[in-house]
Coordinates of all heavy atoms in Angstrom, one line a residue:
M9 N -62.5 -58.1 -207.8 CA -61.9 -58.9 -208.7 C -60.4 -59.2 -208.2 O -59.8 -58.2 -208.0 CB -61.9 -58.5 -210.1 CG -61.3 -59.2 -211.1 SD -62.3 -60.6 -211.5 CE -61.2 -61.4 -212.8
G10 N -60.1 -60.3 -208.0 CA -58.7 -60.7 -207.6 C -58.7 -62.1 -207.1 O -59.7 -62.8 -207.0
E11 N -57.5 -62.6 -206.8 CA -57.2 -63.9 -206.4 C -57.1 -63.9 -204.9 O -56.2 -63.1 -204.3 CB -55.9 -64.5 -207.1 CG -55.7 -65.9 -206.6 CD -54.4 -66.4 -207.2 OE1 -54.1 -65.9 -208.3 OE2 -53.6 -67.1 -206.5
L12 N -57.8 -64.7 -204.2 CA -57.8 -64.6 -202.7 C -56.7 -65.7 -202.3 O -56.9 -66.8 -202.7 CB -59.2 -65.0 -202.2 CG -59.3 -65.0 -200.7 CD1 -58.9 -63.6 -200.1 CD2 -60.7 -65.4 -200.2
G13 N -55.8 -65.2 -201.5 CA -54.7 -66.0 -201.0 C -55.3 -66.8 -199.7 O -56.2 -66.3 -199.1
L14 N -54.5 -67.8 -199.3 CA -55.0 -68.4 -198.1 C -54.7 -67.6 -196.9 O -55.4 -67.9 -195.8 CB -54.2 -69.9 -198.0 CG -54.5 -70.9 -199.0 CD1 -53.6 -72.1 -198.8 CD2 -55.9 -71.2 -198.9
D15 N -53.9 -66.6 -197.0 CA -53.6 -65.7 -195.9 C -54.6 -64.6 -195.8 O -54.5 -63.7 -195.0 CB -52.2 -65.2 -195.9 CG -51.9 -64.5 -197.2 OD1 -52.7 -64.4 -198.1 OD2 -50.8 -63.9 -197.2
G16 N -55.5 -64.5 -196.7 CA -56.5 -63.5 -196.8 C -56.1 -62.3 -197.6 O -56.9 -61.3 -197.8
S17 N -54.9 -62.4 -198.3 CA -54.6 -61.3 -199.2 C -55.3 -61.4 -200.5 O -55.6 -62.5 -201.0 CB -53.0 -61.4 -199.4 OG -52.7 -62.5 -200.1
V18 N -55.4 -60.2 -201.2 CA -56.1 -60.2 -202.5 C -55.0 -59.8 -203.5 O -54.4 -58.9 -203.5 CB -57.2 -59.1 -202.6 CG1 -57.8 -59.1 -204.0 CG2 -58.3 -59.5 -201.6
R19 N -54.7 -60.9 -204.4 CA -53.7 -60.8 -205.4 C -54.3 -60.2 -206.8 O -55.4 -60.4 -207.1 CB -52.9 -62.1 -205.5 CG -52.4 -62.6 -204.3 CD -51.7 -64.0 -204.5 NE -51.3 -64.5 -203.2 CZ -51.5 -65.8 -202.9 NH1 -51.9 -66.6 -203.9 NH2 -51.1 -66.2 -201.8
A20 N -53.3 -59.7 -207.5 CA -53.6 -59.2 -208.8 C -54.0 -60.3 -209.9 O -53.4 -61.4 -209.6 CB -52.4 -58.3 -209.4
V21 N -54.8 -60.1 -210.7 CA -55.2 -61.0 -211.8 C -55.1 -60.2 -213.1 O -55.3 -59.0 -213.2 CB -56.6 -61.5 -211.6 CG1 -56.8 -62.4 -210.4 CG2 -57.6 -60.4 -211.5
P22 N -54.8 -61.0 -214.1 CA -54.8 -60.4 -215.5 C -56.1 -60.0 -216.0 O -57.1 -60.7 -215.7 CB -54.0 -61.4 -216.3 CG -54.2 -62.7 -215.7 CD -54.3 -62.3 -214.3
G23 N -56.3 -59.0 -216.8 CA -57.5 -58.7 -217.5 C -58.5 -57.8 -216.7 O -59.7 -57.9 -216.8
M24 N -58.0 -56.9 -215.9 CA -58.9 -56.1 -215.1 C -59.5 -55.1 -215.9 O -60.7 -54.6 -215.6 CB -58.1 -55.5 -213.9 CG -59.0 -54.9 -212.9 SD -60.1 -56.1 -212.2 CE -61.2 -55.0 -211.5
L25 N -58.9 -54.6 -217.0 CA -59.6 -53.7 -217.9 C -60.9 -54.1 -218.5 O -61.8 -53.4 -218.3 CB -58.6 -53.2 -219.0 CG -59.0 -52.1 -219.9 CD1 -59.3 -50.8 -219.1 CD2 -57.9 -51.8 -220.9
P26 N -61.0 -55.2 -219.1 CA -62.3 -55.7 -219.6 C -63.3 -55.9 -218.5 O -64.5 -55.7 -218.6 CB -62.0 -57.0 -220.3 CG -60.5 -57.0 -220.4 CD -59.9 -56.2 -219.4
V27 N -62.9 -56.2 -217.3 CA -63.8 -56.4 -216.1 C -64.3 -55.1 -215.7 O -65.6 -54.9 -215.5 CB -63.1 -57.1 -215.0 CG1 -64.0 -56.9 -213.8 CG2 -62.8 -58.6 -215.3
A28 N -63.6 -54.1 -215.7 CA -64.0 -52.7 -215.4 C -65.0 -52.3 -216.5 O -66.0 -51.5 -216.2 CB -62.9 -51.8 -215.2
I29 N -64.7 -52.4 -217.7 CA -65.5 -52.0 -218.9 C -66.9 -52.7 -218.8 O -68.0 -52.1 -218.9 CB -64.9 -52.3 -220.2 CG1 -63.7 -51.4 -220.4 CG2 -66.0 -52.2 -221.3 CD1 -62.8 -51.7 -221.6
L30 N -66.9 -54.1 -218.4 CA -68.1 -54.8 -218.2 C -68.9 -54.2 -217.0 O -70.2 -54.2 -217.1 CB -67.9 -56.3 -218.1 CG -69.1 -57.2 -217.9 CD1 -70.0 -57.1 -219.2 CD2 -68.6 -58.6 -217.6
A31 N -68.3 -53.9 -215.9 CA -68.9 -53.3 -214.8 C -69.7 -52.0 -215.1 O -70.8 -51.8 -214.7 CB -68.0 -53.1 -213.6
R32 N -69.0 -51.2 -216.0 CA -69.7 -50.0 -216.4 C -71.0 -50.3 -217.3 O -72.0 -49.7 -217.1 CB -68.7 -49.2 -217.1 CG -69.3 -47.8 -217.6 CD -68.4 -47.0 -218.5 NE -68.1 -47.7 -219.6 CZ -67.1 -47.4 -220.5 NH1 -66.3 -46.3 -220.1 NH2 -66.8 -48.1 -221.5
E33 N -70.8 -51.3 -218.2 CA -71.9 -51.6 -219.0 C -73.1 -52.2 -218.2 O -74.2 -52.0 -218.6 CB -71.5 -52.6 -220.2 CG -70.5 -52.0 -221.2 CD -69.9 -53.0 -222.0 OE1 -70.4 -54.1 -222.1 OE2 -69.2 -52.6 -223.0
K34 N -72.8 -53.0 -217.3 CA -73.9 -53.7 -216.5 C -74.3 -52.8 -215.3 O -75.1 -53.2 -214.5 CB -73.3 -55.0 -215.9 CG -72.9 -56.0 -216.9 CD -74.2 -56.4 -217.7 CE -73.8 -57.5 -218.6 NZ -74.9 -58.0 -219.4
E35 N -73.9 -51.5 -215.4 CA -74.3 -50.5 -214.4 C -73.9 -50.9 -213.0 O -74.7 -50.7 -212.0 CB -75.7 -50.1 -214.5 CG -76.1 -49.5 -215.9 CD -77.5 -49.2 -216.1 OE1 -78.4 -49.5 -215.2 OE2 -77.9 -48.7 -217.2
Y36 N -72.8 -51.5 -212.7 CA -72.2 -51.7 -211.5 C -71.0 -50.8 -211.3 O -69.9 -51.1 -211.6 CB -71.7 -53.2 -211.3 CG -71.2 -53.6 -210.0 CD1 -72.1 -53.8 -208.9 CD2 -70.0 -53.8 -209.8 CE1 -71.6 -54.0 -207.7 CE2 -69.3 -54.1 -208.5 CZ -70.3 -54.2 -207.5 OH -69.8 -54.4 -206.2
P37 N -71.3 -49.6 -210.8 CA -70.2 -48.6 -210.9 C -69.1 -48.6 -209.9 O -68.4 -47.6 -209.8 CB -71.0 -47.2 -210.9 CG -72.2 -47.7 -210.0 CD -72.5 -49.1 -210.3
Q38 N -69.1 -49.5 -209.0 CA -68.1 -49.5 -207.9 C -67.5 -50.8 -207.7 O -67.7 -51.6 -206.8 CB -68.8 -49.1 -206.6 CG -69.5 -47.8 -206.7 CD -70.2 -47.4 -205.5 OE1 -70.5 -48.2 -204.6 NE2 -70.5 -46.1 -205.3
P39 N -66.7 -51.3 -208.7 CA -66.0 -52.6 -208.6 C -64.9 -52.5 -207.7 O -64.3 -51.5 -207.3 CB -65.5 -52.7 -210.0 CG -65.3 -51.5 -210.6 CD -66.4 -50.5 -210.0
H40 N -64.6 -53.6 -207.0 CA -63.5 -53.8 -206.0 C -62.4 -54.5 -206.8 O -62.7 -55.6 -207.4 CB -64.0 -54.6 -204.9 CG -65.0 -53.9 -204.1 ND1 -66.4 -54.0 -204.6 CD2 -65.1 -53.2 -202.9 CE1 -67.2 -53.4 -203.7 NE2 -66.4 -52.9 -202.8
S41 N -61.3 -54.2 -206.7 CA -60.2 -54.8 -207.3 C -59.0 -55.0 -206.4 O -58.9 -54.3 -205.3 CB -59.8 -54.0 -208.6 OG -58.9 -53.0 -208.2
A42 N -58.1 -55.9 -206.8 CA -56.8 -56.1 -206.0 C -56.1 -54.7 -206.1 O -56.1 -54.0 -207.2 CB -56.0 -57.1 -206.6
A43 N -55.3 -54.4 -205.0 CA -54.6 -53.0 -205.1 C -53.7 -53.0 -206.3 O -53.5 -51.8 -206.9 CB -53.9 -52.9 -203.8
A44 N -53.0 -54.1 -206.7 CA -52.2 -54.0 -207.8 C -52.8 -53.8 -209.2 O -52.2 -53.4 -210.1 CB -51.4 -55.3 -207.9
N45 N -54.2 -54.0 -209.2 CA -54.9 -53.9 -210.5 C -55.7 -52.5 -210.5 O -56.4 -52.2 -211.4 CB -55.9 -55.0 -210.7 CG -55.2 -56.3 -211.0 OD1 -55.4 -57.2 -210.2 ND2 -54.6 -56.4 -212.1
A46 N -55.5 -51.7 -209.5 CA -56.4 -50.5 -209.2 C -56.2 -49.6 -210.4 O -57.1 -48.9 -211.0 CB -56.2 -49.8 -207.9
A47 N -55.0 -49.3 -210.8 CA -54.6 -48.4 -211.8 C -55.2 -48.7 -213.3 O -55.8 -48.0 -214.0 CB -53.1 -48.1 -211.9
E48 N -55.1 -50.1 -213.5 CA -55.7 -50.5 -214.7 C -57.2 -50.4 -214.8 O -57.7 -50.0 -215.9 CB -55.3 -52.1 -214.9 CG -55.8 -52.6 -216.2 CD -55.4 -54.2 -216.2 OE1 -54.8 -54.6 -215.3 OE2 -55.9 -54.8 -217.2
A49 N -57.9 -50.7 -213.8 CA -59.3 -50.6 -213.8 C -59.8 -49.1 -213.7 O -60.8 -48.8 -214.2 CB -59.9 -51.3 -212.5
A50 N -59.0 -48.3 -213.1 CA -59.4 -46.8 -212.9 C -59.3 -46.1 -214.2 O -59.8 -45.0 -214.2 CB -58.6 -46.1 -211.8
V51 N -58.7 -46.6 -215.2 CA -58.7 -46.0 -216.4 C -60.0 -45.8 -217.1 O -60.3 -44.9 -217.8 CB -57.7 -46.8 -217.4 CG1 -57.7 -46.2 -218.9 CG2 -56.2 -46.7 -216.9
V52 N -60.9 -46.7 -216.9 CA -62.2 -46.7 -217.4 C -63.1 -45.6 -216.7 O -63.3 -45.6 -215.5 CB -63.0 -48.1 -217.2 CG1 -64.4 -48.1 -217.7 CG2 -62.1 -49.2 -217.8
E53 N -63.6 -44.7 -217.4 CA -64.5 -43.6 -217.0 C -65.9 -44.1 -216.7 O -66.4 -45.1 -217.3 CB -64.5 -42.6 -218.0 CG -63.2 -41.7 -218.2 CD -63.5 -40.6 -219.2 OE1 -64.5 -40.2 -219.5 OE2 -62.4 -40.2 -219.7
G54 N -66.4 -43.6 -215.5 CA -67.7 -44.0 -215.1 C -67.8 -45.1 -214.1 O -68.9 -45.5 -213.7
V55 N -66.6 -45.6 -213.6 CA -66.6 -46.4 -212.5 C -65.7 -45.8 -211.4 O -64.7 -45.2 -211.6 CB -66.1 -47.9 -212.9 CG1 -67.0 -48.5 -213.9 CG2 -64.7 -47.7 -213.5
N56 N -66.1 -46.2 -210.1 CA -65.3 -45.8 -209.1 C -64.6 -47.1 -208.5 O -65.3 -48.0 -208.0 CB -66.2 -45.2 -207.9 CG -66.7 -43.8 -208.3 OD1 -66.1 -43.1 -209.0 ND2 -67.9 -43.6 -207.9
V57 N -63.4 -47.2 -208.7 CA -62.6 -48.4 -208.3 C -62.1 -48.3 -206.9 O -61.5 -47.2 -206.5 CB -61.4 -48.6 -209.2 CG1 -60.5 -49.7 -208.7 CG2 -61.8 -48.7 -210.6
Y58 N -62.3 -49.3 -206.0 CA -61.9 -49.3 -204.7 C -61.0 -50.5 -204.5 O -61.3 -51.6 -204.5 CB -63.1 -49.5 -203.8 CG -64.0 -48.3 -203.7 CD1 -65.2 -48.2 -204.5 CD2 -63.7 -47.3 -202.9 CE1 -66.0 -47.1 -204.5 CE2 -64.5 -46.1 -203.0 CZ -65.6 -46.1 -203.8 OH -66.4 -45.0 -203.8
P59 N -59.6 -50.1 -204.4 CA -58.6 -51.2 -204.3 C -58.7 -51.9 -202.9 O -59.0 -51.3 -201.9 CB -57.3 -50.5 -204.4 CG -57.6 -49.1 -204.1 CD -59.0 -48.8 -204.4
A60 N -58.4 -53.3 -202.9 CA -58.4 -54.0 -201.7 C -57.1 -54.9 -201.7 O -56.8 -55.5 -202.7 CB -59.7 -54.9 -201.5
S61 N -56.5 -54.9 -200.5 CA -55.2 -55.7 -200.4 C -55.5 -56.9 -199.5 O -54.6 -57.7 -199.5 CB -54.0 -54.8 -199.9 OG -54.4 -54.3 -198.6
S62 N -56.6 -56.9 -198.9 CA -57.0 -58.1 -198.1 C -58.5 -58.3 -198.0 O -59.3 -57.4 -198.4 CB -56.5 -57.9 -196.8 OG -57.2 -56.9 -196.0
L63 N -58.9 -59.4 -197.7 CA -60.3 -59.8 -197.5 C -60.9 -58.8 -196.5 O -62.1 -58.5 -196.6 CB -60.5 -61.2 -197.1 CG -61.9 -61.7 -197.0 CD1 -62.5 -61.7 -198.5 CD2 -61.8 -63.3 -196.7
L64 N -60.3 -58.4 -195.4 CA -60.7 -57.4 -194.5 C -61.1 -56.1 -195.2 O -62.0 -55.4 -194.9 CB -59.8 -57.2 -193.3 CG -59.6 -58.4 -192.4 CD1 -58.5 -58.1 -191.4 CD2 -60.9 -58.8 -191.7
D65 N -60.3 -55.7 -196.2 CA -60.6 -54.4 -196.9 C -61.9 -54.6 -197.7 O -62.7 -53.7 -197.7 CB -59.5 -54.1 -197.9 CG -58.2 -53.7 -197.2 OD1 -58.3 -53.3 -196.0 OD2 -57.2 -53.7 -197.9
V66 N -62.1 -55.7 -198.3 CA -63.3 -56.0 -199.0 C -64.6 -55.9 -198.1 O -65.6 -55.4 -198.4 CB -63.2 -57.3 -199.8 CG1 -64.5 -57.6 -200.4 CG2 -62.2 -57.3 -200.8
L67 N -64.4 -56.7 -196.9 CA -65.5 -56.7 -195.9 C -65.8 -55.3 -195.4 O -66.9 -55.0 -195.4 CB -65.0 -57.6 -194.8 CG -66.1 -57.7 -193.7 CD1 -67.4 -58.4 -194.2 CD2 -65.4 -58.6 -192.5
E68 N -64.8 -54.5 -195.2 CA -65.0 -53.1 -194.7 C -65.8 -52.4 -195.8 O -66.7 -51.6 -195.5 CB -63.8 -52.5 -194.5 CG -63.9 -51.0 -194.1 CD -62.5 -50.3 -194.0 OE1 -61.5 -51.0 -193.6 OE2 -62.4 -49.1 -194.3
L69 N -65.4 -52.5 -197.0 CA -66.1 -51.7 -198.1 C -67.5 -52.2 -198.3 O -68.4 -51.4 -198.5 CB -65.4 -51.9 -199.4 CG -64.1 -51.2 -199.7 CD1 -63.2 -51.6 -200.8 CD2 -64.4 -49.6 -199.8
L70 N -67.7 -53.6 -198.2 CA -69.1 -54.0 -198.3 C -70.0 -53.6 -197.2 O -71.2 -53.2 -197.4 CB -69.1 -55.5 -198.5 CG -68.5 -56.1 -199.7 CD1 -68.4 -57.6 -199.7 CD2 -69.3 -55.7 -201.0
N71 N -69.4 -53.5 -196.0 CA -70.2 -53.0 -194.8 C -70.6 -51.6 -195.0 O -71.8 -51.2 -194.6 CB -69.4 -53.3 -193.5 CG -69.6 -54.8 -193.1 OD1 -70.5 -55.6 -193.5 ND2 -68.5 -55.2 -192.4
T72 N -69.7 -50.8 -195.5 CA -70.0 -49.4 -195.6 C -71.0 -49.1 -196.8 O -71.8 -48.2 -196.7 CB -68.7 -48.5 -195.8 OG1 -68.1 -49.0 -196.9 CG2 -67.8 -48.6 -194.6
M73 N -70.9 -50.0 -197.8 CA -71.9 -49.9 -198.9 C -73.3 -50.2 -198.5 O -74.2 -49.6 -198.8 CB -71.5 -50.8 -200.0 CG -70.3 -50.2 -200.9 SD -69.8 -51.4 -202.1 CE -71.1 -51.3 -203.3
V74 N -73.4 -51.1 -197.5 CA -74.8 -51.5 -197.0 C -75.4 -50.3 -196.2 O -76.5 -50.0 -196.3 CB -74.6 -52.7 -196.2 CG1 -76.0 -53.0 -195.3 CG2 -74.4 -54.0 -196.9
V75 N -74.5 -49.6 -195.4 CA -74.9 -48.5 -194.7 C -75.3 -47.3 -195.6 O -76.1 -46.6 -195.4 CB -73.8 -48.1 -193.6 CG1 -74.2 -46.8 -192.9 CG2 -73.6 -49.2 -192.6
G76 N -74.6 -47.3 -196.7 CA -74.8 -46.3 -197.7 C -73.8 -45.1 -197.7 O -73.8 -44.2 -198.6
V77 N -72.8 -45.2 -196.9 CA -71.7 -44.2 -196.9 C -70.4 -44.8 -197.0 O -70.0 -45.5 -196.1 CB -71.8 -43.3 -195.6 CG1 -70.8 -42.2 -195.6 CG2 -73.1 -42.7 -195.5
I78 N -69.8 -44.7 -198.1 CA -68.4 -45.3 -198.3 C -67.5 -44.3 -197.7 O -67.4 -43.1 -198.1 CB -68.1 -45.6 -199.8 CG1 -69.1 -46.7 -200.3 CG2 -66.7 -46.0 -200.0 CD1 -68.9 -47.1 -201.7
Q79 N -66.6 -44.8 -196.8 CA -65.7 -43.9 -196.1 C -64.5 -43.5 -196.9 O -63.9 -42.4 -196.8 CB -65.2 -44.5 -194.8 CG -66.3 -45.0 -193.9 CD -67.0 -43.7 -193.2 OE1 -66.2 -42.8 -192.9 NE2 -68.2 -43.8 -192.9
R80 N -64.1 -44.4 -197.9 CA -62.8 -44.2 -198.7 C -63.2 -43.5 -200.1 O -64.2 -43.6 -200.5 CB -62.2 -45.5 -198.9 CG -61.6 -46.1 -197.6 CD -61.0 -47.4 -197.8 NE -60.8 -47.9 -199.2 CZ -60.4 -49.1 -199.4 NH1 -60.1 -50.0 -198.4 NH2 -60.2 -49.6 -200.6
E81 N -62.2 -42.8 -200.6 CA -62.3 -42.1 -201.8 C -61.9 -43.2 -202.8 O -61.0 -44.0 -202.6 CB -61.3 -41.0 -201.9 CG -61.7 -39.8 -201.1 CD -62.9 -39.2 -201.6 OE1 -63.0 -39.0 -202.9 OE2 -63.8 -38.7 -200.9
P82 N -62.6 -43.2 -203.9 CA -62.2 -44.1 -205.0 C -60.8 -43.9 -205.6 O -60.4 -42.7 -205.6 CB -63.3 -43.9 -206.1 CG -63.9 -42.6 -205.8 CD -63.7 -42.3 -204.4
Y83 N -60.2 -44.9 -206.1 CA -58.8 -44.7 -206.7 C -59.0 -43.9 -208.0 O -59.8 -44.2 -208.8 CB -58.2 -46.1 -206.9 CG -56.8 -46.0 -207.4 CD1 -55.8 -46.0 -206.4 CD2 -56.5 -46.0 -208.8 CE1 -54.5 -45.9 -206.9 CE2 -55.1 -46.0 -209.1 CZ -54.1 -46.0 -208.2 OH -52.8 -46.0 -208.6
R84 N -58.2 -42.9 -208.2 CA -58.2 -42.1 -209.4 C -56.8 -42.2 -210.0 O -55.8 -42.3 -209.4 CB -58.4 -40.6 -209.0 CG -59.7 -40.4 -208.4 CD -60.8 -40.4 -209.5 NE -62.1 -40.1 -208.8 CZ -63.2 -40.9 -209.0 NH1 -63.2 -41.8 -209.9 NH2 -64.3 -40.5 -208.5
V85 N -56.8 -42.2 -211.3 CA -55.6 -42.2 -212.2 C -55.6 -41.2 -213.2 O -56.7 -41.0 -213.8 CB -55.3 -43.6 -212.7 CG1 -56.3 -44.0 -213.6 CG2 -53.9 -43.7 -213.2
S86 N -54.6 -40.5 -213.5 CA -54.6 -39.6 -214.5 C -54.1 -40.4 -215.9 O -53.1 -40.8 -216.0 CB -53.5 -38.4 -214.3 OG -53.3 -37.6 -215.4
T87 N -55.1 -40.4 -216.8 CA -54.8 -41.2 -218.1 C -53.7 -40.5 -218.8 O -53.0 -41.2 -219.5 CB -56.1 -41.4 -218.8 OG1 -56.7 -40.0 -219.2 CG2 -57.1 -42.3 -218.2
E88 N -53.7 -39.2 -218.9 CA -52.6 -38.5 -219.6 C -51.3 -38.9 -219.1 O -50.3 -39.1 -219.8 CB -52.9 -37.0 -219.6 CG -54.1 -36.5 -220.3 CD -55.3 -36.7 -219.4 OE1 -55.2 -36.7 -218.2 OE2 -56.5 -36.5 -220.1
A89 N -51.1 -38.8 -217.7 CA -49.8 -39.2 -217.1 C -49.5 -40.6 -217.3 O -48.3 -40.9 -217.6 CB -49.9 -38.8 -215.5
L90 N -50.5 -41.5 -217.3 CA -50.2 -42.8 -217.5 C -49.8 -43.2 -218.9 O -48.8 -44.0 -219.1 CB -51.6 -43.7 -217.1 CG -51.4 -45.2 -217.1 CD1 -50.4 -45.6 -216.1 CD2 -52.8 -45.8 -216.9
L91 N -50.5 -42.6 -219.9 CA -50.0 -42.7 -221.3 C -48.8 -42.1 -221.5 O -48.0 -42.7 -222.4 CB -51.1 -42.3 -222.2 CG -52.4 -43.0 -222.2 CD1 -53.5 -42.3 -223.1 CD2 -52.3 -44.5 -222.7
G92 N -48.5 -41.0 -220.9 CA -47.2 -40.4 -221.2 C -46.0 -41.1 -220.5 O -45.0 -41.2 -221.2
E93 N -46.3 -41.8 -219.5 CA -45.3 -42.6 -218.8 C -45.0 -43.9 -219.7 O -43.8 -44.2 -219.7 CB -45.9 -43.1 -217.5 CG -45.0 -44.0 -216.7 CD -45.7 -44.3 -215.3 OE1 -46.1 -43.4 -214.6 OE2 -45.8 -45.6 -215.2
L94 N -46.0 -44.3 -220.4 CA -45.7 -45.5 -221.3 C -44.9 -45.2 -222.5 O -44.5 -46.0 -223.2 CB -47.0 -46.2 -221.6 CG -47.8 -46.8 -220.4 CD1 -49.2 -47.4 -220.8 CD2 -47.0 -47.8 -219.7
Q95 N -44.9 -43.9 -222.9 CA -44.3 -43.5 -224.1 C -42.7 -43.4 -224.0 O -42.1 -43.2 -225.1 CB -44.8 -42.2 -224.7 CG -46.3 -42.2 -225.0 CD -46.6 -43.2 -226.0 OE1 -45.9 -43.4 -227.0 NE2 -47.7 -44.1 -225.8
H96 N -42.1 -43.6 -223.0 CA -40.6 -43.5 -222.8 C -40.1 -44.8 -222.9 O -40.1 -45.6 -222.1 CB -40.4 -42.9 -221.4 CG -40.9 -41.5 -221.2 ND1 -40.5 -40.4 -221.9 CD2 -41.9 -41.2 -220.4 CE1 -41.3 -39.4 -221.5 NE2 -42.2 -39.8 -220.6
F97 N -39.3 -45.0 -224.1 CA -38.6 -46.2 -224.3 C -37.1 -45.9 -224.4 O -36.6 -45.0 -224.9 CB -39.0 -46.8 -225.7 CG -40.4 -47.1 -225.8 CD1 -41.2 -46.3 -226.6 CD2 -41.0 -48.2 -225.1 CE1 -42.7 -46.5 -226.7 CE2 -42.4 -48.4 -225.3 CZ -43.3 -47.6 -225.9
T98 N -36.4 -46.8 -223.7 CA -34.9 -46.7 -223.7 C -34.2 -47.4 -224.8 O -33.1 -47.1 -225.1 CB -34.4 -47.2 -222.3 OG1 -34.7 -48.6 -222.2 CG2 -34.8 -46.4 -221.2
V99 N -34.9 -48.3 -225.4 CA -34.3 -49.1 -226.5 C -35.1 -48.8 -227.8 O -36.4 -48.7 -227.7 CB -34.4 -50.6 -226.2 CG1 -33.8 -51.4 -227.3 CG2 -33.5 -50.9 -225.0
D100 N -34.4 -48.7 -228.8 CA -35.0 -48.4 -230.2 C -34.7 -49.4 -231.1 O -33.5 -49.9 -231.2 CB -34.7 -47.1 -230.6 CG -35.6 -46.6 -231.8 OD1 -36.3 -47.4 -232.3 OD2 -35.4 -45.4 -232.2
F101 N -35.5 -49.9 -231.9 CA -35.3 -51.1 -232.9 C -34.3 -50.5 -234.0 O -33.7 -51.3 -234.8 CB -36.5 -51.5 -233.5 CG -37.2 -52.6 -232.7 CD1 -38.4 -52.4 -232.2 CD2 -36.6 -53.8 -232.5 CE1 -39.1 -53.4 -231.3 CE2 -37.2 -54.8 -231.8 CZ -38.5 -54.6 -231.2
K102 N -34.2 -49.2 -234.1 CA -33.2 -48.7 -235.2 C -31.7 -49.1 -234.8 O -30.8 -49.0 -235.6 CB -33.4 -47.2 -235.5 CG -33.0 -46.4 -234.3 CD -33.1 -44.9 -234.6 CE -32.7 -44.0 -233.5 NZ -32.9 -42.6 -233.6
D103 N -31.5 -49.3 -233.5 CA -30.2 -49.7 -232.9 C -29.9 -51.0 -233.2 O -28.7 -51.5 -233.0 CB -30.1 -49.3 -231.6 CG -30.2 -47.8 -231.2 OD1 -29.9 -47.0 -232.2 OD2 -30.7 -47.4 -230.1
V104 N -30.8 -51.9 -233.5 CA -30.6 -53.3 -233.8 C -29.9 -53.6 -235.1 O -30.5 -53.1 -236.2 CB -31.9 -54.2 -233.6 CG1 -31.7 -55.6 -233.9 CG2 -32.5 -53.9 -232.1
R105 N -29.0 -54.3 -235.2 CA -28.2 -54.7 -236.4 C -28.7 -56.1 -236.9 O -28.8 -57.0 -236.1 CB -26.7 -54.7 -236.3 CG -26.2 -53.5 -235.8 CD -25.6 -52.6 -236.9 NE -24.9 -51.4 -236.4 CZ -25.3 -50.2 -236.7 NH1 -26.3 -50.1 -237.6 NH2 -24.7 -49.2 -236.1
G106 N -29.2 -56.2 -238.1 CA -29.6 -57.6 -238.6 C -31.0 -57.8 -238.0 O -31.8 -56.9 -237.7
Q107 N -31.4 -59.0 -238.0 CA -32.7 -59.5 -237.6 C -33.9 -58.7 -238.2 O -34.8 -58.2 -237.5 CB -32.9 -59.4 -236.1 CG -31.7 -60.1 -235.2 CD -31.8 -61.6 -235.3 OE1 -33.0 -62.1 -235.5 NE2 -30.7 -62.3 -235.3
Q108 N -33.9 -58.6 -239.5 CA -34.9 -57.8 -240.3 C -36.3 -58.4 -240.0 O -37.2 -57.6 -239.9 CB -34.5 -57.8 -241.7 CG -33.2 -57.1 -242.1 CD -33.2 -55.6 -241.6 OE1 -34.2 -55.0 -241.7 NE2 -32.0 -55.2 -241.1
T109 N -36.4 -59.7 -239.9 CA -37.8 -60.3 -239.8 C -38.3 -59.9 -238.4 O -39.5 -59.5 -238.4 CB -37.6 -61.9 -239.9 OG1 -37.0 -62.2 -241.2 CG2 -39.0 -62.5 -239.9
A110 N -37.5 -59.9 -237.4 CA -38.0 -59.5 -236.1 C -38.4 -58.1 -236.0 O -39.3 -57.7 -235.4 CB -37.0 -59.9 -235.0
K111 N -37.6 -57.2 -236.7 CA -37.9 -55.8 -236.6 C -39.2 -55.4 -237.3 O -39.9 -54.6 -237.0 CB -36.7 -55.0 -237.1 CG -35.4 -55.1 -236.2 CD -34.5 -53.9 -236.5 CE -33.9 -54.0 -238.0 NZ -32.9 -53.0 -238.1
R112 N -39.3 -56.2 -238.4 CA -40.5 -55.9 -239.3 C -41.7 -56.4 -238.6 O -42.9 -55.9 -238.6 CB -40.4 -56.6 -240.6 CG -41.3 -56.2 -241.6 CD -41.2 -56.8 -243.0 NE -40.5 -58.1 -242.8 CZ -39.6 -58.6 -243.7 NH1 -39.1 -57.8 -244.6 NH2 -39.0 -59.8 -243.5
A113 N -41.7 -57.5 -237.8 CA -42.8 -58.0 -237.1 C -43.2 -57.1 -235.9 O -44.4 -57.1 -235.6 CB -42.5 -59.4 -236.5
S114 N -42.3 -56.3 -235.4 CA -42.6 -55.5 -234.3 C -43.4 -54.2 -234.7 O -43.9 -53.5 -233.8 CB -41.4 -55.1 -233.5 OG -40.6 -54.3 -234.3
K115 N -43.5 -53.9 -235.8 CA -44.2 -52.7 -236.4 C -45.6 -52.9 -236.6 O -46.2 -53.6 -236.7 CB -43.6 -52.2 -237.7 CG -42.2 -51.7 -237.5 CD -41.6 -51.2 -238.8 CE -40.2 -50.7 -238.6 NZ -39.5 -50.3 -239.9

């Protein structure tokens, strides 16, 4: 899953998480994703994500899948570290003066 550029590069696309979940449900356990989307897709348990930065990477992966031996390790991400990383905020709404409607909508 990714956007193919005219130069052969595979670009990131939004919504890789639902694609990885669907791949698991449809029993397609080895999705290929753009390298920039690999962490998002690797959060889903039960799938082995293989990132690709170019069309040549995808071709190499498909050829090794036909032979039956994938040479590369799937991309792994630590969900605890990823979630912990997202919990650090430098700005807090308690520091905002006024704008009560905006602060209430963010909760």
Side-chain angles (χ1 to χ4, degrees):
M9 178 77 180
E11 180 183 328
L12 182 60
L14 293 175
D15 61 350
S17 63
V18 179
R19 299 181 191 140
V21 293
M24 192 59 199
L25 184 61
V27 171
I29 292 170
L30 182 66
R32 180 184 62 194
E33 289 174 3
K34 297 294 182 180
E35 297 178 1
Y36 182 74
Q38 299 176 347
H40 302 74
S41 73
N45 289 117
E48 182 180 356
V51 171
V52 178
E53 292 183 16
V55 294
N56 292 324
V57 177
Y58 293 97
S61 58
S62 70
L63 188 58
L64 291 175
D65 290 343
V66 175
L67 182 64
E68 176 188 328
L69 284 168
L70 291 175
N71 283 337
T72 57
M73 287 176 71
V74 169
V75 174
V77 180
I78 297 178
Q79 303 286 328
R80 293 182 0 191
E81 289 292 319
Y83 188 84
R84 299 280 183 228
V85 65
S86 170
T87 54
E88 293 84 18
L90 188 63
L91 292 175
E93 181 180 300
L94 297 177
Q95 298 300 319
H96 301 290
F97 300 106
T98 58
V99 179
D100 193 352
F101 276 113
K102 71 179 180 182
D103 298 330
V104 177
R105 305 258 185 239
Q107 304 294 331
Q108 296 301 323
T109 307
K111 290 195 307 188
R112 191 175 32 220
S114 68
K115 291 182 181 180

